[in-house]
């Protein structure tokens, strides 16, 4: 369709020729700035003939999607001004950032935050030079860009971020520009279902604009090459009402886009009004736009006989050899002058008043909308006292409880106390994860069809605030959009499948790391992830569900924003969750299994322990006042139990052996305080773990992660870590522990091997422990369960 000259539209509105001419002039100014950002470091308004020294030495950036993005932005500005809309803009094609930076600069928000980038020729020169330039700004819609909550550096999340932004924001409209390359990603394809979760009464609306410019880096896009009827049927099948704007002749496209966007906004308002007046929250068929325009629109048509506009060659830099090729330099100047900048900017280099008049005012500017700086709108959660949900622990390690069930009750009450700014997210697993108490105050949001049997345990409601969908990508995107716009959330998922959002976690962590350095960005609520159904309780799902490696990924990210907690019991989990829900600008990863586990600490002890992040359990140690022979460490629920059981075996077998038992909740306490804000000083680490004694560290995850965190410690040479080593299948819990050498018998043998004087004297004990280990394996293979004395083990001292 890129060769057509008229726009497809079925709508006839009241937009005047004068309005269209003004829109086109403003759009030309945006396109001039976008191209200038890619090429120019000087002579920003072409007041002189263009010379090589005016051109950046390295030509970086992406032109192809930029004109289309500016086109959408400019037309949304018209409607904001006309209809007094509360709106924000998300650019899915991240590489089209020049097309967003340009209108943001022209509406002056950029200069308000960065006064050096002023509204004159000097500021324009600085804007151009800093783009994709050392010491400047990146080529995406990064956190440094006012109005951005979505970088787009990784494709696939624009629509889910936009949906999260409008949850509980009934007046907000989020324009989500979806690139046609982005539309080929799995996360984006799934997120089209987000429209089925937008409640027309209490939520705002998303207006997706699928930008069909036809090409990726050097390939056609799938959706641009299917018949119109098939494309229309696809989006009707997804549950949207598609409107089409197609063509390449600017004035015809302006008219079509103006009429179509206004039609869509009116449809959104009508749907919301009908639902709100009737009080009927049901699923709506929301409008969307398919914008088909040439890639690199208004750029060079051909270069050296090669097609540029409307082809993949326009994706990045259309003219790459302007330094070496005078003809290309002339083509660049002709291209830039085609926008007639002398008509658009005054003598000082400012946008002329007639065009400035098109900009929405104050906070109605999409780049100044407070929803895009969500910390300005954030209100701290009203929190119940987490002590009220505590498990009774009369004596350490002698009773059992389900760790996550009390947390579910706590989340229930948080939901009830914060029913406009808190949501719980999970992929069809909240009941499985023992968090189902939340349904007592809020059901699962469901706006689609209901069946009679749903009334019996379905827990569905059109007013639900629990969001469940079997797409971790979409849920994570919703949660990120929700917290980025000033609200709070909690996401629980199985450990084996949290890897689905690895890249999304990466992107959000990078966003936060940059945002923390920007004084003008107010802190947002932390992203809270509960990782449950863990590796050590996958005895029925087997090898495919055994993977604790998400923690390794978390450690890769900035220590300014990453936190990892492994509470061993109910009360530690409650204390940890309370802390995380009160925090800001972090990603909190909490690892705690959902099954029944032995309980260790009463609530007061748990609070003290979690506050420290790690510490000696004096009740499990017998080295008081003396230097220990060995330090036994548990980190995680099952590893802690097995380390304690090993400690008991050793104390029963070697009564004079001095053992110090340490439990670690806050994993980053193991790092030096120079590397992470939660890190221990070397002197505190040496005091706890000793400077020269063996340390047997039983860890929830992959063992090398602990070595990575602690490799600089003085006693690292004596640190011996046990953890998951990719062994297992359909095993009993103890057998799985044995397979990975984190079981009590393997740990006790490890101590005998490491403590001087025990290697020979402990030979009989080692043999006895091996015999017990073999017996436990045989029992599991015969009976299908672990021995009762293993399942029911309690601390004997």
């Amino acid at each position: 369709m890129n060769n057509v000259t008229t726009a497809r539209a079925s709508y006839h509105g009241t937009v005047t020729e004068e309005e269209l001419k003004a829109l086109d002039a403003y759009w030309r100014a945006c396109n001039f700035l976008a191209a200038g950002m890619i090429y120019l470091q000087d002579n920003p308004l072409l007041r002189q003939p263009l010379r090589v020294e005016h051109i950046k030495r390295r030509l970086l950036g992406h032109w192809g999607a930029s004109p289309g993005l500016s086109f959408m932005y400019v037309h949304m500005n018209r409607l904001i001004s006309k209809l007094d809309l509360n709106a924000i803009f998300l650019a899915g094609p991240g590489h089209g950032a020049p097309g967003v930076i340009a209108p943001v600069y022209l509406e002056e928000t950029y200069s308000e935050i960065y006064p050096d980038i002023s509204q004159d020729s000097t500021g324009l020169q600085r804007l151009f030079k800093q783009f994709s330039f050392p010491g400047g700004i990146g080529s995406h819609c990064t956190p440094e860009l006012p109005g951005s909550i979505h970088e787009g550096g990784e494709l696939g999340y624009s629509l889910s971020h936009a949906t999260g932004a409008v949850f509980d924001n009934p007046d907000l409209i989020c324009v989500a520009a979806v690139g046609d390359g982005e539309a080929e990603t799995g996360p984006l394809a799934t997120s089209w279902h987000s429209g089925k979760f937008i409640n027309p009464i209490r939520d705002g609306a998303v207006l997706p604009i699928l930008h069909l410019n036809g090409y990726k880096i050097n390939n056609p896009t799938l959706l641009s090459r299917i018949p119109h009827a098939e494309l229309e049927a696809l989006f009707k099948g997804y549950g949207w009402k598609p409107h089409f704007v197609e063509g390449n002749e600017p004035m015809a496209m302006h008219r079509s886009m103006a009429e179509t966007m206004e039609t869509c906004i009116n449809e959104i308002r009508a749907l919301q009004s009908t639902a709100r007046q009737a009080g009927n929250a049901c699923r709506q068929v929301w409008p969307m736009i398919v914008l088909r325009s040439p890639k690199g629109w208004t750029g060079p048509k051909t270069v050296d006989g090669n097609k540029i506009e409307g082809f993949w060659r326009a994706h990045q830099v259309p003219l790459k050899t302007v330094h070496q090729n005078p003809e290309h330099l002339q083509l660049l100047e002709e291209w830039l002058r085609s926008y007639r900048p002398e008509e658009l900017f005054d003598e000082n280099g400012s946008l002329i008043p007639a065009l400035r008049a098109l900009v929405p005012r104050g906070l109605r500017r999409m780049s100044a909308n407070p929803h895009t700086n969500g910390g300005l709108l954030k209100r701290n959660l009203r929190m119940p006292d987490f002590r009220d949900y505590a498990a009774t622990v009369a004596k350490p390690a002698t009773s059992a409880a389900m760790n996550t069930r009390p947390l579910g009750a706590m989340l229930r009450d948080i939901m009830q106390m914060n029913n406009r700014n808190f949501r719980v997210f999970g992929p069809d697993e909240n009941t499985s994860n023992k968090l189902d108490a939340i349904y007592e105050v809020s059901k699962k949001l469901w706006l689609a069809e209901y069946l009679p049997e749903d009334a019996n345990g379905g827990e569905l409601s059109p007013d639900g605030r629990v969001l469940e969908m079997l797409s971790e990508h979409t849920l994570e995107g919703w949660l990120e959009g929700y917290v980025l716009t000033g609200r709070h959330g909690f996401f629980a998922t199985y450990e084996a499948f949290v890897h689905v959002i690895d890249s999304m976690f990466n992107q959000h962590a990078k966003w936060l790391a940059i945002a923390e350095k920007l004084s003008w960005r107010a802190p947002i609520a932390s992203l809270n992830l509960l990782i449950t159904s863990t590796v050590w309780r996958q005895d029925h799902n087997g090898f495919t569900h055994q993977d604790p490696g998400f923690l390794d990924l978390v450690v890769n990210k900035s220590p300014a924003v990453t936190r990892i907690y492994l509470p061993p019991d109910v009360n530690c989990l409650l204390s940890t969750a309370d802390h995380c829900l009160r925090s800001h600008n972090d990603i909190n990863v909490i690892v705690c299994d959902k099954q029944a586990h032995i309980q260790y600490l009463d609530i007061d002890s748990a609070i003290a322990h979690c506050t420290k992040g790690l510490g000696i359990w004096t009740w499990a140690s017998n080295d008081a006042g003396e230097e220990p022979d060995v330090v036994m460490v548990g980190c995680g629920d099952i590893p802690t139990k097995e380390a304690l059981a090993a400690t008991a075996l050793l104390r029963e077998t070697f009564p004079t052996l001095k053992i110090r038992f340490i439990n670690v909740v806050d994993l980053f306490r193991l790092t030096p305080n120079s590397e992470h804000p939660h890190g221990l000083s070397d002197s505190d680490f040496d005091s706890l773990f000793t400077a020269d004694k063996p340390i047997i560290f039983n860890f929830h995850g992959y063992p090398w992660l602990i070595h990575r965190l602690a490799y600089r410690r003085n006693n690292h040479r004596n640190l011996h870590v046990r953890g998951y080593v990719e062994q297992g299948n359909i095993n009993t819990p103890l057998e799985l522990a044995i397979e990975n050498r984190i079981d009590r018998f393997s740990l006790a043998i490890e101590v005998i091997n490491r403590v001087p004087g025990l290697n020979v004297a402990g030979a009989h004990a080692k043999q006895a422990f091996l015999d017990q280990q073999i017996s436990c394996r045989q029992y599991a293979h015969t009976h299908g369960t672990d021995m009762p004395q293993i399942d029911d083990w309690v601390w004997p001292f």
Side-chain angles (χ1 to χ4, degrees):
M1 293 293 297
N2 287 337
N3 60 341
V4 301
T5 56
T6 58
R8 178 200 301 264
S10 304
Y11 312 100
H12 303 283
T14 58
V15 60
T16 67
E17 290 298 322
E18 290 72 20
E19 284 183 284
L20 295 178
K21 290 177 181 177
L23 286 168
D24 185 65
Y26 197 99
W27 181 53
R28 282 191 282 118
C30 292
N31 290 339
F32 176 77
L33 296 190
M37 280 181 243
I38 294 173
Y39 285 97
L40 299 182
Q41 62 181 355
D42 203 355
N43 191 18
L45 289 169
L46 303 182
R47 299 279 166 82
Q48 308 168 38
L50 191 62
R51 298 194 301 271
V52 169
E53 55 264 33
H54 299 150
I55 310 298
K56 296 177 184 178
R57 296 304 303 171
R58 292 197 309 162
L59 299 179
L60 304 172
H62 291 72
W63 167 249
S66 293
L69 290 169
S70 290
F71 187 77
M72 302 175 211
Y73 199 106
V74 168
H75 278 271
M76 192 61 195
N77 271 353
R78 168 185 170 266
L79 293 174
I80 291 170
S81 296
K82 179 178 180 178
L83 304 174
D84 190 31
L85 300 178
N86 180 15
I88 62 176
F89 185 88
L90 271 65
H95 285 308
V100 183
I101 297 171
V104 169
Y105 171 78
L106 291 177
E107 58 194 23
E108 302 187 22
T109 318
Y110 207 98
S111 300
E112 292 168 8
I113 292 176
Y114 306 108
D116 282 351
I117 312 297
S118 48
Q119 295 287 312
D120 52 29
S121 58
T122 300
L124 202 53
Q125 182 267 334
R126 289 171 178 163
L127 176 73
F128 285 179
K129 184 174 180 179
Q130 72 169 0
F131 178 77
S132 286
F133 199 87
I137 60 173
S139 64
H140 305 127
C141 295
T142 62
E144 292 95 337
L145 179 63
S148 175
I149 64 167
H150 172 84
E151 178 163 336
E154 182 175 82
L155 301 179
Y157 314 126
S158 58
L159 195 52
S160 56
H161 281 163
T163 305
V166 303
F167 285 147
D168 298 315
N169 272 327
D171 298 324
L172 184 66
I173 294 176
C174 186
V175 177
V178 179
D180 51 357
E182 181 187 20
E184 295 179 11
T185 65
L188 196 286
T190 303
S191 68
W192 288 113
H193 292 296
S194 296
K196 301 177 177 71
F197 290 84
I198 296 175
N199 182 313
I201 296 177
R202 68 178 182 209
D203 299 333
V206 175
L207 177 59
I209 304 180
L210 174 63
H211 187 201
L212 291 183
N213 64 26
Y215 293 90
K216 305 183 283 284
I217 293 176
N218 61 0
N219 267 302
T221 55
L222 293 172
L223 295 185
S224 70
R225 294 289 184 96
I226 63 176
H228 179 90
E230 185 179 344
L231 185 67
E232 185 174 20
L234 174 68
F235 288 105
K236 285 183 176 179
Y238 269 128
W240 297 87
K241 180 181 178 182
H243 301 258
F244 292 83
V245 177
E246 301 175 290
N248 66 355
E249 198 284 310
M251 296 309 293
M253 288 289 282
H254 281 303
R255 178 175 293 281
S256 179
M257 190 66 168
E259 295 172 348
T260 301
M261 283 194 77
E262 189 163 352
T263 296
C264 290
I265 296 299
N266 288 335
E267 286 180 2
I268 287 170
R269 285 183 153 185
L271 293 171
Q272 291 174 332
S273 177
T274 300
R276 291 169 187 180
Q277 289 177 15
N280 182 21
C282 61
R283 181 185 161 204
Q284 307 295 319
V285 178
W286 300 101
M288 64 166 291
I289 296 173
V290 178
L291 171 63
R292 192 190 296 266
S293 64
K295 195 172 191 72
W297 195 11
T298 73
K301 307 295 184 188
T302 60
V303 175
D304 297 334
N306 296 314
K307 184 176 175 62
I308 303 296
E309 184 189 70
F311 198 52
W312 58 259
R313 290 189 183 92
H315 182 77
Q316 293 177 312
V317 180
L319 294 163
K320 296 182 174 66
T321 61
V322 290
H323 296 98
Q324 302 84 20
N325 189 325
E327 292 181 2
H328 285 193
L329 181 64
Q330 182 180 351
L331 283 174
L332 174 60
E333 183 168 11
E334 292 172 358
W335 169 21
L336 293 174
R337 291 191 184 280
S338 73
Y339 298 117
R340 307 192 297 281
E342 67 279 1
E343 299 176 6
L344 310 173
F345 299 91
D346 64 20
E347 291 182 0
N348 295 321
S350 300
L351 193 68
I352 62 174
L355 296 184
R356 286 207 308 271
L358 301 180
V359 176
R361 296 289 176 258
L363 299 182
R364 284 305 197 218
R365 294 173 295 175
M366 291 191 284
S367 57
N369 191 305
H371 291 96
T372 64
N373 190 0
L376 298 174
L377 303 176
K378 181 176 73 72
R379 298 292 179 266
N380 291 336
L381 289 172
R382 295 177 59 209
M383 294 287 288
D385 188 340
F386 67 91
R387 298 168 183 82
D388 294 342
Y389 310 91
T392 300
V393 181
K395 184 180 177 183
T398 57
S399 60
M402 287 185 173
N403 287 342
T404 56
R405 192 170 291 286
L407 176 62
M410 178 175 154
L411 292 173
R412 172 199 64 202
D413 296 342
I414 294 171
M415 180 84 79
Q416 189 167 39
M417 297 167 72
N418 304 271
N419 62 4
R420 294 185 185 276
N421 67 333
F422 178 74
R423 294 200 180 201
V424 173
F425 302 77
D428 189 36
E429 295 160 359
N430 284 311
T431 297
S432 172
N433 290 332
K434 311 299 188 288
L435 301 176
D436 47 308
I438 53 178
Y439 301 140
E440 296 171 21
V441 298
S442 180
K443 306 298 185 184
K444 292 177 274 191
L445 175 65
W446 191 255
L447 297 170
E449 294 180 356
Y450 281 73
L451 298 176
E453 53 266 32
D454 292 328
N456 183 15
E459 306 290 4
L460 305 178
S461 169
D463 297 318
R465 304 187 54 78
V466 180
L467 294 171
E468 298 192 13
M469 177 180 172
L470 203 55
S471 168
E472 288 86 351
H473 282 129
T474 304
L475 291 164
E476 175 70 11
W478 290 347
L479 173 58
E480 289 175 5
Y482 198 64
V483 300
L484 283 163
T485 48
R487 282 73 60 74
H488 304 257
F490 194 89
F491 187 170
T493 189
Y494 289 176
E495 184 175 57
F497 303 123
V498 70
H499 278 298
V500 172
I501 62 165
D502 279 1
S503 290
M504 298 187 77
F505 163 86
N506 283 340
Q507 295 297 315
H508 191 71
K510 290 175 182 291
W511 177 279
L512 287 177
I514 295 176
E516 280 210 329
K517 300 174 183 177
L518 302 173
S519 60
W520 60 272
R521 278 203 178 268
I524 61 172
S526 294
L527 197 75
N528 299 303
L529 300 174
L530 174 65
I531 311 302
T532 188
S533 190
T534 59
V535 55
W536 303 110
R537 282 296 178 266
Q538 292 303 325
D539 39 326
H540 62 299
N541 285 317
F543 193 44
T544 58
H545 284 52
Q546 296 163 6
D547 190 337
F550 186 70
L551 301 186
D552 299 69
L553 177 80
V554 176
V555 171
N556 289 337
K557 298 299 119 185
S558 169
V561 301
T562 47
R563 308 288 185 263
I564 298 174
Y565 303 99
L566 295 102
D569 63 4
V570 166
N571 293 336
C572 289
L573 174 59
L574 292 170
S575 178
T576 298
D578 179 81
H579 165 77
C580 293
L581 287 164
R582 295 177 187 273
S583 68
H584 60 261
N585 270 16
D586 290 332
I587 302 180
N588 298 309
V589 178
I590 307 170
V591 182
C592 192
D593 191 58
K594 63 186 181 180
Q595 304 294 351
H597 290 275
I598 198 165
Q599 300 298 301
Y600 306 110
L601 303 179
D602 62 52
I603 189 63
D604 291 331
S605 300
I607 293 170
H609 183 53
C610 292
T611 301
K612 296 189 298 260
L614 81 175
I616 300 170
W617 282 357
T618 55
W619 54 268
S621 307
N622 65 346
D623 69 322
E626 302 180 61
E627 193 155 0
D629 298 307
V630 65
V631 178
M632 189 73 78
V633 186
C635 184
D637 37 33
I638 294 300
T640 295
K641 176 185 177 182
E642 291 303 310
L644 275 173
T647 299
L649 285 173
L650 290 164
R651 286 177 59 177
E652 290 165 350
T653 306
F654 305 104
T656 61
L657 182 67
K658 299 303 179 185
I659 303 176
R660 175 177 298 174
F661 192 92
I662 293 176
N663 177 261
V664 177
V665 175
D666 183 344
L667 193 64
F668 281 113
R669 297 292 275 166
L670 300 177
T671 63
N673 55 4
S674 60
E675 303 299 319
H676 194 282
H678 287 199
L680 281 179
S681 67
D682 284 336
S683 59
D684 286 342
F685 190 93
D686 291 347
S687 178
L688 283 169
F689 292 93
T690 77
D692 57 1
K693 296 297 188 289
I695 307 166
I696 312 302
F697 198 114
N698 214 31
F699 179 49
H700 171 86
Y702 290 107
W704 37 89
L705 180 58
I706 301 302
H707 287 292
R708 175 181 170 186
L709 295 175
Y711 81 98
R712 291 173 55 186
R713 298 299 191 177
N714 293 327
N715 199 24
H716 181 253
R717 67 189 183 282
N718 285 319
L719 178 61
H720 309 287
V721 186
R722 293 291 171 264
Y724 184 69
V725 289
E726 290 292 311
Q727 297 296 317
N729 210 311
I730 305 300
N731 308 111
T732 63
L734 181 65
E735 188 189 17
L736 182 60
I738 292 170
E739 288 282 339
N740 291 277
R741 304 196 304 277
I742 74 153
D743 65 290
R744 61 198 69 185
F745 307 115
S746 296
L747 297 174
I749 292 169
E750 184 75 5
V751 170
I752 292 171
N753 291 337
R754 298 295 180 182
V755 173
L758 283 187
N759 195 23
V760 176
H764 292 282
K766 281 174 64 174
Q767 182 168 300
F769 294 154
L770 284 170
D771 289 343
Q772 291 180 66
Q773 194 180 64
I774 292 169
S775 295
C776 288
R777 280 181 177 271
Q778 291 175 338
Y779 187 93
H781 282 250
T782 300
H783 299 279
T785 62
D786 287 322
M787 292 179 175
Q789 58 265 41
I790 297 296
D791 281 340
D792 301 333
W793 179 88
V794 295
W795 180 247
F797 295 96

